[in-house]
Amino acid sequence: ATAEAQGRAGTQPRDARLAESVLLADYGGDWYTDATAINNHGQIAGWAARDDQWVAFVWSSREGYRDITDRAFPRDINDRGEVVGMLSVCDEADCRMEGFLWSAEEGLQNLGSFLPFALNDAGDMAGVCEPQWQACVMPDGRVSAIPGPGSEARGINARGEVVGLYGDNRGFHLSADGQFSDLGRAVASDINDHGVISGHRCTVMSTGTGRARVTAWTNDGLLSPTL
């Protein structure tokens, strides 16, 4: 028992082992497929590509593949089956990225210059606003910018807390009531419903080289396993 406790508390990471690996049904023929998000019901959002074609889809064990729209990249799917991501919209002059929200009930909604990276089960979204590429949130259908050009909002939880990246690789946490906190030289990628943040912390080694360390931020401080 002592050895097991030491292993859990030690700094050496344990190998990750999959209990089971399941190959999903083929999207069709020679398509390249990529799963980008999964919800708690096992629904998967992703995209398939072949030559100059690509299409966003939702997959479930019950219904199989369901196409969302062409030329799109999903970023997240919530437990209601709603999907957010980015569309490639082209005209005679240029191509640009625009955000989208999709649901089985409402179909595809174009969000224009708001590009969502994450959404919660209430439909609140976090992402960036173009053309400044600035972190933005969309609660209740209203877009609000988070100060700092070059920033990204990457995760949002059920309480509406948002995490992301701004400035010179600095992580941030935005509380549900709008309080902004700097997490230091780091990247905050996601936050769960308990308020625990995951991402990586940027450190300088004794050799003078930079290194990114997997990090979790909690109310008690940060946890950074040795890599």
Side-chain angles (χ1 to χ4, degrees):
T2 301
E4 290 180 0
Q6 289 175 344
R8 289 194 298 269
T11 59
Q12 293 300 318
R14 294 177 296 178
D15 292 336
R17 292 183 175 86
L18 289 173
E20 184 179 10
S21 179
V22 178
L23 183 65
L24 302 183
D26 190 7
Y27 180 80
D30 56 351
W31 289 78
Y32 171 90
T33 51
D34 189 359
T36 54
I38 187 170
N39 66 15
N40 289 317
H41 302 300
Q43 292 175 296
I44 293 173
W47 54 275
R50 181 176 61 183
D51 299 326
D52 61 347
Q53 300 173 279
W54 76 87
V55 60
F57 64 76
V58 172
W59 178 91
S60 69
S61 59
R62 176 179 298 181
E63 298 181 357
Y65 288 97
R66 178 172 183 172
D67 291 350
I68 295 175
T69 187
D70 293 335
R71 303 180 67 82
F73 298 99
R75 293 294 299 260
D76 202 6
I77 180 171
N78 66 13
D79 286 348
R80 299 195 303 191
E82 297 170 325
V83 179
V84 293
M86 293 176 287
L87 297 161
S88 177
V89 179
C90 299
D91 53 33
E92 294 181 358
D94 198 6
C95 291
R96 63 191 178 279
M97 300 304 292
E98 296 182 352
F100 77 83
L101 167 67
W102 177 90
S103 69
E105 296 78 14
E106 303 293 333
L108 188 74
Q109 179 183 352
N110 189 306
L111 302 177
S113 59
F114 175 69
L115 310 181
F117 291 174
L119 81 163
N120 62 21
D121 290 342
D124 302 325
M125 292 173 269
V128 299
C129 291
E130 288 279 46
Q132 297 90 354
W133 199 263
Q134 181 172 353
C136 288
V137 293
M138 184 187 282
D140 301 321
R142 302 185 306 273
V143 178
S144 299
I146 300 173
S151 56
E152 295 181 1
R154 295 190 171 185
I156 186 169
N157 67 9
R159 294 190 297 232
E161 297 176 284
V162 177
V163 296
L165 171 71
Y166 81 107
D168 184 19
N169 286 326
R170 301 190 70 84
F172 75 81
H173 169 262
L174 186 73
S175 68
D177 59 1
Q179 297 297 312
F180 185 93
S181 299
D182 182 296
L183 298 176
R185 191 166 176 78
V187 174
S189 298
D190 205 1
I191 181 169
N192 69 14
D193 292 345
H194 301 288
V196 180
I197 302 167
S198 68
H200 67 263
R201 187 162 52 94
C202 304
T203 60
V204 178
M205 311 304 293
S206 59
T207 58
T209 58
R211 188 176 183 182
R213 288 187 172 179
V214 173
T215 304
W217 290 264
T218 71
N219 291 330
D220 299 323
L222 58 83
L223 308 172
S224 183
T226 300
L227 299 180

